[in-house]
Each structure stands twice: as structure tokens, then as C-alpha cells.
Amino acid sequence: MYFFVPLVAVVCAALGVMGFDISCNSNMAVYWGQNSGASGSLPYQQPLGAYCDDDSVDIILLSFLYILKGKGGYPVLNFANICDYTKNASVPVFPGTELMHCSDMGVDIKRCQEKGKIILLSIGGATAQLNSDAGTFSKQIWDLFMEGSSEFRPFDDAIIDGIDLDFEQQSQFDTIQFANNMNNYFKSGTRKYYLTAAPQCPYPDANLGNLLAQSHVDMAFIQFYNSGWCDNSKYGLPHWPESMNYYMWDAAWRNNSFANPNMRLYVGSTAGSSAGNPSSYVSPDFFANELKGLQKDYPDSFGGAMTWDMSWAYGSSPNYATNAKQAMMAGSKCGSYA
């Protein structure tokens, strides 16, 4: 029997890079791409490659692919001040489409992967147009960004490590069929891929609850913000009617309510007071103590932390993501993942 070892894995091992390990309970995921800190007068987000050397970040989520079916039948990407043809005429667009050709991002993706990070493409966002069918769209994602073949490759020969679904509104798009299709493509590939989702904290999530219950999802980046009663700011309060409700998600995990019984749960936060609803925001130290408490109290389901977004995290003092990662490392453990 022959085993294929991805080149990135070989490079990481040769360089002594630890790399992302889904079985660990101290992983840090950060959304990059929307430059939301600029609305808070923070410096603009840097190109993706500027964050590759930051060992406190394990997962970078490229946000967003926000139109599933645009001009010419192809999806549309938006990375704010990075690779934006609407603001920079020098950014190339594939003929007959609005799909940007972001070669520099392809180089950065591979560099970050060599540093042991995984790079996921997040689909959705608050202004998403979920206007395609699951069969066509899943094939396009595989061909455009993974191991499929297409004359249009936004990141050239770079191959992302998976897909994140951040669906924040109801639609006719068959999310479950899309996820099942992607998981089948993943099985046919020559490397490890991940499917993740970013549900809101009320359980079950109105838009992604059925997906989590019926399709294999590796990680849930739960948004404990912008929802009021279950936000991070309610951590430490008695249960119901207001309490940060990780305990509900853990109970569902223990009751095998998810299609993947080993799905890892991540605690999502905003990294700045204006990165979301200001009442949802908690300080870096508050969030660090919250993570340490949840990591200790829920050792089986807890996978780590997520924050929105990179521009706010780097504009925070201390760095929001670094502070969270350091807090989790004190209780870090790695086990097995089926």
C-alpha cells in the first residue's frame, strides 16, 4: 500500500514546524479579509503573508466568498483592501466573470501552510447571496480552489485546506447537499481537508443547525456575539435566562446531536468593541479567563477559540488572538480525532 504525504507536511516536518492539530484544545482561528478594523480607525489589514509567522494563529479563514453565482456563473470574492478590482484597476479579473485573480494571495497561502497553518475559505457573511445550486457550486469550489481543474484559479496552484460556512440568513440553497458533496470530494483528494461552520450561539442555530445535525462538520466556530442573551459578556452568570451558553452546545455534543460526534467546538469572540455589537465585546483578559475556564470545564468538546477579525486582533493591546492563545496553552492537550 502506498501513502501520499502532502508536500506541505514534509516541509513542516523538515523545518520542525508543529502545525495545526485538530485534536488539540488550544487552537486559535482568526477571520481575515474584511478589514473591519478600519471602521474603528485602526490600521488597514495587511496582506495575508504578513501573518504567516505568527505562531499564535493556527487557522486563518479567508472572508469572504459572498456571491455564489455571479457574472458568467462564477462566484465572487471580496477581501476588502486586498485584491479588490473595484478599487484597484490593476487587479485582474477572469474574462466574462467578476472572479478576481489573486496571485499574491496564492503565494501567501502556500507560505502560511509551510508555517503549519491551515487556510480555509469562508463562504457567506452578512451580505451573502446564496444563489446557486449545491451540485454546480460544490464542483466549482473543488475546481477553483482545491484539487479540481479549471482555467480560472483565483489563487493559481495554491490549494486551500477546506471550506467554512458562515450562513447568516435563510435561503433555498441546499447546505446539506453542498456539505455532503464537498466531503465526498475531500475523500477523493490526496491531502486532508476540513469542513467547518460558524453558527450563532443560540442552540440550535437557525441557519446551520440542520447542517451540523446531518452532515460531517469538523469544527464549529460558534459566534458568542451579536446574539444578546448567550454572548461572551454573559459568561459567569447563572444558567438561563441569560448566560453564555457553551454548556448547551456541550450537552448536544455529549448527546450525539451532531453528525460528526467528534466535532470540535470553538468559542468565537469579537476582537474589538466595534467589531460587532458593542455589548457583546469582552476585553482580552476577560476572554482569556473565559477560555481557561471552558477549556477546564469541557475538556472533551472544547477545541479552541475564534475571533473576528485579524485587523481588530492586531489593533488590540494586547493582541487579542495572541492573548487568547497564551491563555489556552497553559491547559493545552492533544488527543485523538476520528
Side-chain angles (χ1 to χ4, degrees):
M1 181 179 292
Y2 295 89
F3 295 89
F4 179 87
V5 180
L7 177 60
V8 168
V10 174
V11 173
C12 290
L15 295 177
V17 178
M18 275 293 284
F20 167 74
D21 184 343
I22 194 172
S23 76
C24 296
N25 66 351
S26 55
N27 288 312
M28 187 70 224
V30 184
Y31 282 85
W32 171 93
Q34 285 304 293
N35 191 33
S36 68
S39 64
S41 300
L42 295 178
Y44 277 23
Q45 69 180 358
Q46 297 299 304
L48 179 63
Y51 308 102
C52 292
D53 292 328
D54 185 352
D55 292 336
S56 65
V57 178
D58 305 291
I59 306 165
I60 298 178
L61 299 115
L62 310 179
S63 54
F64 290 106
L65 186 159
Y66 77 110
I67 299 177
L68 275 56
K69 185 178 181 180
K71 184 178 178 181
Y74 282 85
V76 180
L77 302 166
N78 181 287
F79 300 120
N81 62 310
I82 305 296
C83 192
D84 183 358
Y85 80 97
T86 67
K87 298 177 182 177
N88 184 350
S90 67
V91 174
V93 177
F94 292 108
T97 79
E98 294 178 292
L99 182 62
M100 298 180 297
H101 189 183
C102 304
S103 294
D104 289 347
M105 284 185 62
V107 173
D108 288 347
I109 287 169
K110 291 189 286 186
R111 180 167 176 263
C112 282
Q113 289 170 331
E114 289 172 358
K115 295 290 184 177
K117 303 184 191 314
I118 63 169
I119 307 297
L120 308 179
L121 176 62
S122 187
I123 300 171
T127 62
Q129 297 180 31
L130 309 179
N131 57 347
S132 187
D133 66 274
T136 299
F137 186 60
S138 56
K139 180 67 164 59
Q140 283 184 323
I141 293 298
W142 182 249
D143 289 343
L144 294 171
F145 302 103
M146 297 182 180
E147 291 183 60
S149 177
S150 174
E151 61 178 324
F152 301 157
R153 295 276 301 185
F155 307 138
D156 294 329
D157 62 346
I159 298 174
I160 60 173
D161 298 294
I163 295 297
D164 172 62
L165 300 179
D166 181 15
F167 291 176
E168 300 186 14
Q169 64 266 10
Q170 296 286 334
S171 77
Q172 297 301 310
F173 182 72
D174 193 338
T175 309
I176 295 170
Q177 185 60 57
F178 172 76
N180 292 342
N181 289 352
M182 291 312 306
N183 280 321
N184 286 332
Y185 282 123
F186 293 171
K187 292 175 185 177
S188 72
T190 60
R191 57 196 292 169
K192 175 64 179 174
Y193 293 99
Y194 301 93
L195 182 67
T196 69
Q200 303 289 320
C201 57
Y203 180 83
D205 178 71
N207 301 311
L208 294 169
N210 288 337
L211 168 72
L212 300 179
Q214 299 181 46
S215 298
H216 183 101
V217 175
D218 294 292
M219 294 170 274
F221 302 122
I222 308 166
Q223 299 181 47
F224 289 100
Y225 50 88
N226 297 342
S227 293
W229 68 269
C230 56
D231 290 347
N232 288 311
S233 59
K234 304 301 192 297
Y235 177 71
L237 296 180
H239 293 181
W240 198 255
E242 290 193 354
S243 175
M244 187 273 184
N245 69 331
Y246 187 97
Y247 68 95
M248 288 185 175
W249 288 87
D250 179 78
W253 188 91
R254 292 182 179 280
N255 290 332
N256 293 316
S257 298
F258 303 121
N260 175 14
N262 294 309
M263 182 176 72
R264 294 296 188 258
L265 306 182
Y266 284 61
V267 180
S269 69
T270 52
S273 58
S274 298
N277 188 322
S279 67
S280 301
Y281 173 74
V282 294
S283 70
D285 287 343
F286 184 103
F287 190 53
N289 289 328
E290 177 185 354
L291 293 173
K292 288 190 286 187
L294 295 171
Q295 184 187 53
K296 178 182 178 181
D297 293 342
Y298 303 100
D300 298 324
S301 62
F302 186 91
M306 171 274 283
T307 195
W308 175 273
D309 69 347
M310 194 77 78
S311 58
W312 278 104
Y314 271 69
S316 172
S317 182
N319 181 305
Y320 206 91
T322 301
N323 203 60
K325 178 70 171 183
Q326 290 174 346
M328 293 187 291
M329 286 305 295
S332 181
K333 295 179 182 179
C334 302
S336 61
Y337 179 80

